[in-house]
Amino acid sequence: NELTSLPSSSEAESVSEYIFKRAAQEAAQTASNEVTSIAAYEESIKQLELQGGAYEPALSQELLSLANVYQTQNDHIKALEYLNQALHINRVNSGLFNLEQERIIESKISSHIALGEINDADVQQQYLFYLKRKAFGDDSIELIPALNRYAEWNIYAFDSRLVTNPMFGITSSSNTFPV
């Protein structure tokens, strides 16, 4: 399978040249696919709004998917716009404290972290933990994974604030939170 994609021309080409060309072709194809995906999601969103109105429940998932495409392009500001819209529609349709919004909130956290907005990510983490507490109750064993994740987040956020605070004389870190 991989051997069939090797160059078969009469002109010799170094392996590094071949690999570089192949990587460039794949990157161009990926970028083209993302542009096509954006256009397809935007059209789907427009159709859903026309058919079901501004609060059509299916819009939330489409907006989340579109935001995820923008995240892969590192356009986190645009992603957050769509995530906020998806969250609003989700809450209108499913209530303020539904767990369906978990994926949207996690995506918002990822974008805030990518933008270096630790305080905004922290607000979202707190809200996510609050949702889980409301859903499961403070004494439920189902809350343990959420407690663990929230504890990991707090350690990460504390370390990030230390690293970015010039008072401590530290200016960089390899500290990353697994979102």
Side-chain angles (χ1 to χ4, degrees), residues 161-170:
R161 288 182 182 111
L162 282 178
V163 166
T164 58
N165 190 333
M167 180 173 73
F168 296 102
I170 304 170

mmCIF file of all heavy atoms in Angstrom, residues 161-170:
data_model
loop_
_atom_site.group_PDB
_atom_site.id
_atom_site.type_symbol
_atom_site.label_atom_id
_atom_site.label_comp_id
_atom_site.label_asym_id
_atom_site.label_seq_id
_atom_site.Cartn_x
_atom_site.Cartn_y
_atom_site.Cartn_z
ATOM 1 N N ARG A 161 -0.057 30.037 36.238
ATOM 2 C CA ARG A 161 -0.018 31.404 36.770
ATOM 3 C C ARG A 161 1.362 31.717 37.340
ATOM 4 O O ARG A 161 1.848 32.840 37.214
ATOM 5 C CB ARG A 161 -1.108 31.597 37.808
ATOM 6 C CG ARG A 161 -2.478 31.650 37.170
ATOM 7 C CD ARG A 161 -3.578 31.882 38.180
ATOM 8 N NE ARG A 161 -4.861 31.873 37.513
ATOM 9 C CZ ARG A 161 -5.779 30.934 37.667
ATOM 10 N NH1 ARG A 161 -5.569 29.920 38.476
ATOM 11 N NH2 ARG A 161 -6.918 30.994 37.027
ATOM 12 N N LEU A 162 2.013 30.725 37.945
ATOM 13 C CA LEU A 162 3.372 30.931 38.430
ATOM 14 C C LEU A 162 4.320 31.201 37.275
ATOM 15 O O LEU A 162 5.160 32.088 37.339
ATOM 16 C CB LEU A 162 3.873 29.700 39.188
ATOM 17 C CG LEU A 162 3.383 29.491 40.610
ATOM 18 C CD1 LEU A 162 3.966 28.195 41.158
ATOM 19 C CD2 LEU A 162 3.767 30.653 41.494
ATOM 20 N N VAL A 163 4.153 30.433 36.223
ATOM 21 C CA VAL A 163 5.048 30.529 35.075
ATOM 22 C C VAL A 163 4.880 31.853 34.344
ATOM 23 O O VAL A 163 5.840 32.431 33.866
ATOM 24 C CB VAL A 163 4.787 29.338 34.120
ATOM 25 C CG1 VAL A 163 5.428 29.551 32.776
ATOM 26 C CG2 VAL A 163 5.326 28.077 34.752
ATOM 27 N N THR A 164 3.659 32.344 34.254
ATOM 28 C CA THR A 164 3.425 33.568 33.495
ATOM 29 C C THR A 164 3.535 34.828 34.336
ATOM 30 O O THR A 164 3.451 35.925 33.818
ATOM 31 C CB THR A 164 2.024 33.545 32.841
ATOM 32 O OG1 THR A 164 1.037 33.394 33.864
ATOM 33 C CG2 THR A 164 1.918 32.419 31.830
ATOM 34 N N ASN A 165 3.747 34.687 35.633
ATOM 35 C CA ASN A 165 3.854 35.844 36.506
ATOM 36 C C ASN A 165 5.309 36.290 36.562
ATOM 37 O O ASN A 165 6.167 35.578 37.077
ATOM 38 C CB ASN A 165 3.348 35.488 37.907
ATOM 39 C CG ASN A 165 3.203 36.703 38.786
ATOM 40 O OD1 ASN A 165 3.890 37.700 38.608
ATOM 41 N ND2 ASN A 165 2.302 36.608 39.746
ATOM 42 N N PRO A 166 5.621 37.494 36.052
ATOM 43 C CA PRO A 166 7.014 37.945 36.016
ATOM 44 C C PRO A 166 7.625 38.127 37.408
ATOM 45 O O PRO A 166 8.829 38.118 37.563
ATOM 46 C CB PRO A 166 6.946 39.279 35.273
ATOM 47 C CG PRO A 166 5.523 39.662 35.207
ATOM 48 C CD PRO A 166 4.701 38.447 35.472
ATOM 49 N N MET A 167 6.799 38.230 38.440
ATOM 50 C CA MET A 167 7.294 38.399 39.797
ATOM 51 C C MET A 167 8.166 37.207 40.213
ATOM 52 O O MET A 167 9.073 37.334 41.012
ATOM 53 C CB MET A 167 6.109 38.545 40.758
ATOM 54 C CG MET A 167 6.507 38.735 42.207
ATOM 55 S SD MET A 167 5.104 39.097 43.252
ATOM 56 C CE MET A 167 4.297 37.521 43.320
ATOM 57 N N PHE A 168 7.884 36.031 39.612
ATOM 58 C CA PHE A 168 8.629 34.837 39.973
ATOM 59 C C PHE A 168 9.863 34.618 39.099
ATOM 60 O O PHE A 168 10.610 33.684 39.299
ATOM 61 C CB PHE A 168 7.726 33.602 39.920
ATOM 62 C CG PHE A 168 6.620 33.658 40.938
ATOM 63 C CD1 PHE A 168 5.336 33.995 40.563
ATOM 64 C CD2 PHE A 168 6.881 33.396 42.272
ATOM 65 C CE1 PHE A 168 4.324 34.055 41.499
ATOM 66 C CE2 PHE A 168 5.874 33.453 43.217
ATOM 67 C CZ PHE A 168 4.595 33.793 42.832
ATOM 68 N N GLY A 169 10.060 35.463 38.097
ATOM 69 C CA GLY A 169 11.237 35.382 37.256
ATOM 70 C C GLY A 169 11.239 34.226 36.281
ATOM 71 O O GLY A 169 12.256 33.902 35.702
ATOM 72 N N ILE A 170 10.105 33.586 36.077
ATOM 73 C CA ILE A 170 9.999 32.468 35.146
ATOM 74 C C ILE A 170 9.196 32.960 33.948
ATOM 75 O O ILE A 170 8.156 33.562 34.097
ATOM 76 C CB ILE A 170 9.281 31.266 35.788
ATOM 77 C CG1 ILE A 170 10.009 30.863 37.089
ATOM 78 C CG2 ILE A 170 9.204 30.102 34.833
ATOM 79 C CD1 ILE A 170 9.257 29.850 37.908
#
